[in-house]
Amino acid sequence: MKTIVSLLNEFKKIGLTRFDGVTRCVYDENWLAAQKKYIQIASDYGLYTFVDDIGNVYATTEKKLGRKAFILSGSHMDTVINGGPLDGVYGTLASLISIGTLMKKFGHPKIPLVAVSFSEEEGSRFNTAFTGSRYLMNNLADTVYGLKDHEGLSFNHARKNAVAQLKKLASELKVTGSIHAFIELHIEQGPILEKKGQDIGIVTDIVGQKKLLIKCYGVANHAGTTPMNMRCDAMKKAVTLIHQLYEVLDGLVALRYTIGQIRVQPNATNVIPSEVDFSLDLRHKSQKILDDAFTVVKELTELNDSILTIMTDVNAIKLSDQLANNSVLAAQYHNSAYQLLISGAGHDAQIIAKYIPTTMIFVPSIKGISHSPSENTQSDHLLNGQSVLQQALYQLAYK
Amino acid sequence: MKTIVSLLNEFKKIGLTRFDGVTRCVYDENWLAAQKKYIQIASDYGLYTFVDDIGNVYATTEKKLGRKAFILSGSHMDTVINGGPLDGVYGTLASLISIGTLMKKFGHPKIPLVAVSFSEEEGSRFNTAFTGSRYLMNNLADTVYGLKDHEGLSFNHARKNAVAQLKKLASELKVTGSIHAFIELHIEQGPILEKKGQDIGIVTDIVGQKKLLIKCYGVANHAGTTPMNMRCDAMKKAVTLIHQLYEVLDGLVALRYTIGQIRVQPNATNVIPSEVDFSLDLRHKSQKILDDAFTVVKELTELNDSILTIMTDVNAIKLSDQLANNSVLAAQYHNSAYQLLISGAGHDAQIIAKYIPTTMIFVPSIKGISHSPSENTQSDHLLNGQSVLQQALYQLAYK
């Protein structure tokens, strides 16, 4: 059978863009081709495949799952627009290879193993994300089905066509039993493992995130003829507020905050700005500190007579210590240099961890780059990550 | 004869936009219609008109100027795109009415009076400004003639056509004598006179201006996965620098500074900015303080590892005290509440004052608004301003 590295090279071609990136949006042609190829590989391993109504594809060691608890492992098949060749699909294919290899080597496990290729996580086609894992957790709002893509096609219409084609290739099996544990292997998408010379990262927490929009108001006026004491300068308000925010937020240990976007009205060199708004992205593994940070930001915003709107709000979540210990043993088994770390990006594991014991394993990202055609990981790290995942699954399912 | 208020209403129609603004760019159809109408009104007053090769139109009390020194008064006929009904044309028409009225009342003056309608001051068609007054001062670079407008038409081509049409209507007279003094009446374009309840402002200085572009560099990275101590955040650099700039610049008395424009790369909420640039507009009546301010900005920019480019650099200029005193007497003659003030905006007077004793008279702008369809001045202020200008010219030319 093929290695994870050669399979990833094949999948990179499914949705390759002229910028050397990959675009596979949920339910589009390339996405469909990739899910079909996933089913084919699963069959080659002798695994049983089935597809649910959202388009998640499963590959299982058992012909019938029944009411038995099983171990789930996988990631998502979709990408951002012009994304990299690893985000999502690495964990998706690695879990498939791992479970297929375990079956070939050791036969049926004590606890059934199920690989999953989630339909969607990135939110790059419809204005919503994590629909695959949310569907599996029975936590998908009905409103999602009415969402439309850029061409006006509804989520539900696209879904029905794509899922119907996939179902022809897979069995009628349904997820009925409970999930005993979930393991997701993923690229780090950050620079820590590479900087520290580690082979493996074991995720203890996924950060909570608040995306805020803050608006400061002034009065547009002539830059030359308006005396300083008669000005109401939205830029000065915004810079003063941002400077105060930097000072306070720097005091909150391990908080990650980013002001990535700023918009000015009218944005002319010789006009005093009438309106400046900026984004503030706050992330922390501790929901308490994240909430504290938000409270400080809210107070400062109000003190500075500015307006705050919450654009995104996702709670921080702690992953399973027990499953992390299991991953540590697997990393040690493969003589991998490893460390515990938190994930600053969102993942399917974040959705699932709310209900089911969950762990994540990271491999290093070169220069920490992701969501870009430059996204890459050394081949030996990719191979080692798959081996560690396989060992972690073995320890859970066969021992 | 018509009052300044009714003439301004007529000129507002020449280039009226659907946003209720006025657009008369140099050498365009509306500009040509306005300059033609100016010649007609001058003739109605019995004044002699002539046109120079740049398209400045003059109206004089004398059939021949010869080598005699004369007093010049006027402003510009062009507008910004969708500008107001007063900027430029108010002083242009008021000087014409004043000189025409003086001739009718008192006959030929001791010192000849010449009204001028400068061709262009705003720089709204070609990427250059003050071409009318710069031409008169023999200070227009040859490169100007090669400049092209948005449609690719050259300055010289547009100029030749327009000037040829105007010359058919005017005499062959040329500016040969020296200019004894220049007086420009203008709307304030700022809020001071209205706030202070004044009828008239007498300008002592026109500020110098430096427009700077400052660039701060960082490295784009994921807002969630990049730890704070591994970031190079162009936004944080820029805000830190701007905050320092505000602190130092606030210490420079009477300096007017504006950060009106900011641009961020890539300007996404979840990406650490790789590049932030912003404009800094500095103005002061003292060239020394303006230069000091620039030095401080340059030092701070370098200390913060950022790059500074000078986009515009115009020296501060002091206007004539003697002519200001003459304007004070004229304001007093009309029982006008007046004050001395500096001009924060650039004017033709700024070009001429370098060579010739020059003064400016301001009337209040409602809410200080200019370069906008909302630009306005109370009718009694417009009428009074014209009367004060007329008296100032009378004192200089007839006494």
Side-chain angles (χ1 to χ4, degrees):
Chain A
M1 304 299 287
K2 287 168 185 163
T3 66
I4 180 70
V5 173
S6 62
L7 271 191
L8 283 169
N9 283 333
E10 290 179 16
F11 274 77
K12 184 182 169 176
K13 290 175 194 149
I14 310 175
L16 187 69
T17 70
R18 60 197 175 96
F19 307 104
D20 201 40
V22 183
T23 303
R24 281 194 303 268
C25 289
V26 66
Y27 310 138
D28 75 9
E29 275 189 9
N30 292 312
W31 176 92
L32 198 59
Q35 292 289 59
K36 283 180 179 173
K37 188 173 169 82
Y38 178 94
I39 291 171
Q40 183 56 52
I41 298 164
S43 306
D44 294 346
Y45 272 110
L47 299 175
Y48 305 94
T49 58
F50 59 102
V51 177
D52 67 19
D53 285 338
I54 208 76
N56 295 326
V57 180
Y58 305 85
T60 170
T61 52
E62 316 304 315
K63 196 166 183 181
K64 283 185 177 167
L65 281 173
R67 288 275 157 202
K68 278 181 88 175
F70 61 91
I71 295 164
L72 186 71
S73 181
S75 190
H76 57 96
M77 187 54 92
D78 70 320
T79 68
V80 295
I81 306 289
N82 199 40
L86 305 175
D87 184 356
V89 68
Y90 172 53
T92 301
L93 296 177
S95 63
L96 183 60
I97 293 173
S98 297
I99 291 169
T101 306
L102 289 172
M103 259 293 274
K104 281 197 177 289
K105 267 188 165 174
F106 307 108
H108 288 276
K110 291 179 188 167
I111 307 175
L113 285 168
V114 179
V116 62
S117 173
F118 284 120
S119 55
E120 184 277 320
E121 186 253 18
E122 299 285 8
S124 47
R125 180 170 180 184
F126 300 95
N127 193 19
T128 185
F130 304 105
T131 50
S133 48
R134 277 154 66 194
Y135 176 85
L136 182 62
M137 294 297 106
N138 283 314
N139 192 18
L140 188 65
D142 288 344
T143 50
V144 165
Y145 294 89
L147 292 175
K148 296 199 168 157
D149 67 6
H150 285 304
E151 289 175 355
L153 201 69
S154 81
F155 181 94
N156 200 37
H157 189 267
R159 177 193 70 82
K160 275 203 277 189
N161 281 347
V163 170
Q165 293 197 54
L166 288 179
K167 285 205 170 179
K168 288 180 199 159
L169 307 173
S171 77
E172 290 288 310
L173 208 67
K174 283 191 175 178
V175 182
T176 44
S178 65
I179 304 172
H180 180 69
F182 175 64
I183 310 188
E184 183 172 6
L185 174 67
H186 208 279
I187 53 166
E188 181 195 349
Q189 305 181 272
I192 296 175
L193 296 176
E194 183 180 73
K195 286 251 173 180
K196 302 273 176 79
Q198 309 285 21
D199 306 313
I200 290 292
I202 292 158
V203 180
T204 57
D205 301 84
I206 302 178
V207 298
Q209 185 186 5
K210 288 183 197 287
K211 270 193 200 176
L212 312 175
L213 178 71
I214 299 175
K215 284 196 181 200
C216 304
Y217 294 94
V219 176
N221 236 321
H222 194 295
T225 59
T226 316
M228 297 310 285
N229 62 0
M230 289 186 186
R231 295 180 178 211
C232 182
D233 184 344
M235 181 71 83
K236 203 162 189 180
K237 277 191 187 177
V239 167
T240 305
L241 175 55
I242 295 174
H243 192 255
Q244 290 175 12
L245 289 169
Y246 282 159
E247 283 193 336
V248 199
L249 297 177
D250 277 336
L252 295 171
V253 177
L255 180 80
R256 286 182 190 160
Y257 66 87
T258 306
I259 291 169
Q261 194 173 64
I262 190 162
R263 288 178 298 200
V264 182
Q265 289 293 338
N267 210 29
T269 61
N270 61 348
V271 182
I272 300 160
S274 58
E275 196 178 315
V276 174
D277 69 53
F278 60 91
S279 65
L280 176 57
D281 180 308
L282 298 172
R283 308 198 195 199
H284 205 287
K285 67 167 185 170
S286 152
Q287 189 62 36
K288 165 89 177 59
I289 300 183
L290 186 61
D291 289 339
D292 287 351
F294 175 72
T295 304
V296 183
V297 170
K298 196 160 174 283
E299 283 170 6
L300 276 179
T301 303
E302 282 165 7
L303 270 175
N304 282 273
D305 197 27
S306 302
I307 306 296
L308 182 152
T309 312
I310 302 172
M311 307 303 283
T312 301
D313 195 358
V314 183
N315 280 1
I317 200 141
K318 224 190 137 8
L319 301 189
S320 160
D321 285 340
Q322 209 179 332
L323 288 176
N325 287 338
N326 181 66
S327 301
V328 166
L329 293 175
Q332 288 170 340
Y333 179 87
H334 282 289
N335 294 315
S336 303
Y338 69 92
Q339 71 164 79
L340 304 181
L341 82 178
I342 60 166
S343 171
H347 292 289
D348 289 311
Q350 193 163 15
I351 303 302
I352 295 171
K354 200 174 162 187
Y355 309 96
I356 288 158
T358 294
T359 195
M360 282 195 85
I361 299 170
F362 278 176
V363 294
S365 291
I366 294 174
K367 290 183 186 167
I369 297 168
S370 185
H371 285 189
S372 147
S374 312
E375 172 185 279
N376 208 353
T377 294
Q378 288 177 31
S379 293
D380 53 350
H381 280 144
L382 291 172
L383 291 163
N384 185 58
Q386 186 262 310
S387 301
V388 171
L389 172 67
Q390 186 173 312
Q391 177 63 19
L393 290 169
Y394 174 76
Q395 291 163 188
L396 291 173
Y398 287 86
K399 280 196 170 171
Chain B
M1 305 299 287
K2 288 166 184 164
T3 65
I4 181 69
V5 173
S6 62
L7 271 191
L8 284 168
N9 283 333
E10 290 178 14
F11 273 77
K12 184 182 169 177
K13 290 175 193 149
I14 310 175
L16 187 70
T17 70
R18 61 200 174 95
F19 307 104
D20 201 38
V22 182
T23 303
R24 280 193 303 266
C25 290
V26 66
Y27 310 139
D28 76 7
E29 275 188 10
N30 292 312
W31 177 91
L32 198 60
Q35 291 289 58
K36 283 181 179 172
K37 189 173 167 80
Y38 178 92
I39 291 171
Q40 183 56 52
I41 297 165
S43 307
D44 293 347
Y45 271 109
L47 299 174
Y48 304 94
T49 57
F50 59 104
V51 178
D52 67 19
D53 284 339
I54 208 77
N56 295 326
V57 180
Y58 304 86
T60 170
T61 51
E62 317 304 314
K63 195 164 184 183
K64 285 184 177 168
L65 282 174
R67 290 274 156 201
K68 278 182 87 175
F70 60 90
I71 295 164
L72 186 72
S73 181
S75 191
H76 57 95
M77 187 55 91
D78 71 317
T79 68
V80 296
I81 307 288
N82 200 39
L86 304 176
D87 184 355
V89 68
Y90 171 53
T92 302
L93 297 177
S95 64
L96 183 59
I97 294 173
S98 297
I99 291 170
T101 306
L102 288 172
M103 259 293 274
K104 281 196 177 288
K105 266 188 166 174
F106 306 108
H108 288 277
K110 288 181 189 165
I111 306 174
L113 286 168
V114 178
V116 61
S117 172
F118 283 121
S119 53
E120 182 278 320
E121 185 254 18
E122 300 284 8
S124 47
R125 180 169 179 185
F126 300 95
N127 191 18
T128 184
F130 303 105
T131 48
S133 48
R134 277 156 64 196
Y135 176 84
L136 182 62
M137 294 296 106
N138 283 313
N139 192 18
L140 188 65
D142 287 345
T143 50
V144 165
Y145 293 90
L147 292 175
K148 296 197 168 158
D149 67 6
H150 285 304
E151 290 175 354
L153 202 68
S154 80
F155 181 93
N156 201 36
H157 189 267
R159 177 193 70 82
K160 274 203 276 190
N161 280 348
V163 170
Q165 292 196 55
L166 287 179
K167 285 206 170 177
K168 289 181 198 158
L169 306 173
S171 76
E172 290 287 311
L173 208 67
K174 283 191 175 180
V175 182
T176 45
S178 66
I179 305 173
H180 180 70
F182 175 64
I183 310 187
E184 182 172 6
L185 175 67
H186 208 280
I187 54 166
E188 182 195 348
Q189 305 181 272
I192 296 174
L193 296 176
E194 184 180 73
K195 286 252 173 179
K196 301 274 175 78
Q198 309 285 20
D199 306 313
I200 291 291
I202 292 158
V203 180
T204 57
D205 302 83
I206 301 177
V207 298
Q209 186 187 3
K210 287 182 198 287
K211 270 193 199 175
L212 313 174
L213 179 71
I214 299 175
K215 284 196 183 201
C216 303
Y217 294 95
V219 176
N221 236 321
H222 194 295
T225 59
T226 316
M228 297 310 285
N229 61 1
M230 290 186 184
R231 295 181 177 209
C232 183
D233 183 343
M235 182 72 84
K236 202 164 189 179
K237 278 192 188 176
V239 167
T240 305
L241 175 55
I242 295 173
H243 193 256
Q244 290 175 11
L245 288 171
Y246 281 160
E247 282 192 337
V248 200
L249 297 177
D250 277 338
L252 294 172
V253 177
L255 180 79
R256 285 181 192 161
Y257 67 86
T258 306
I259 292 170
Q261 194 174 63
I262 191 162
R263 288 179 297 200
V264 182
Q265 288 294 338
N267 211 29
T269 61
N270 61 348
V271 182
I272 300 160
S274 56
E275 195 179 316
V276 174
D277 69 53
F278 60 91
S279 64
L280 176 58
D281 179 309
L282 298 171
R283 308 197 195 199
H284 206 288
K285 68 167 185 170
S286 151
Q287 189 62 34
K288 165 88 177 58
I289 300 183
L290 186 60
D291 290 339
D292 287 351
F294 175 72
T295 304
V296 182
V297 171
K298 195 160 175 282
E299 283 170 6
L300 276 179
T301 303
E302 283 165 6
L303 270 175
N304 282 273
D305 199 25
S306 302
I307 306 296
L308 182 151
T309 312
I310 302 172
M311 307 303 282
T312 301
D313 195 358
V314 183
N315 281 1
I317 200 140
K318 222 187 137 11
L319 302 189
S320 160
D321 285 341
Q322 210 180 330
L323 288 176
N325 287 339
N326 181 65
S327 301
V328 166
L329 292 176
Q332 287 170 339
Y333 179 87
H334 283 290
N335 293 316
S336 303
Y338 70 91
Q339 71 164 78
L340 303 182
L341 84 177
I342 61 166
S343 171
H347 292 290
D348 289 311
Q350 192 163 14
I351 304 302
I352 295 172
K354 201 175 161 186
Y355 309 97
I356 289 159
T358 293
T359 195
M360 284 196 83
I361 299 170
F362 277 176
V363 295
S365 290
I366 293 173
K367 291 183 185 167
I369 297 168
S370 186
H371 285 190
S372 147
S374 311
E375 173 185 278
N376 208 353
T377 294
Q378 287 178 29
S379 294
D380 53 350
H381 280 144
L382 291 172
L383 292 163
N384 185 59
Q386 186 264 308
S387 300
V388 171
L389 172 67
Q390 186 173 311
Q391 178 62 20
L393 290 169
Y394 174 77
Q395 291 163 190
L396 290 174
Y398 287 86
K399 279 195 171 170

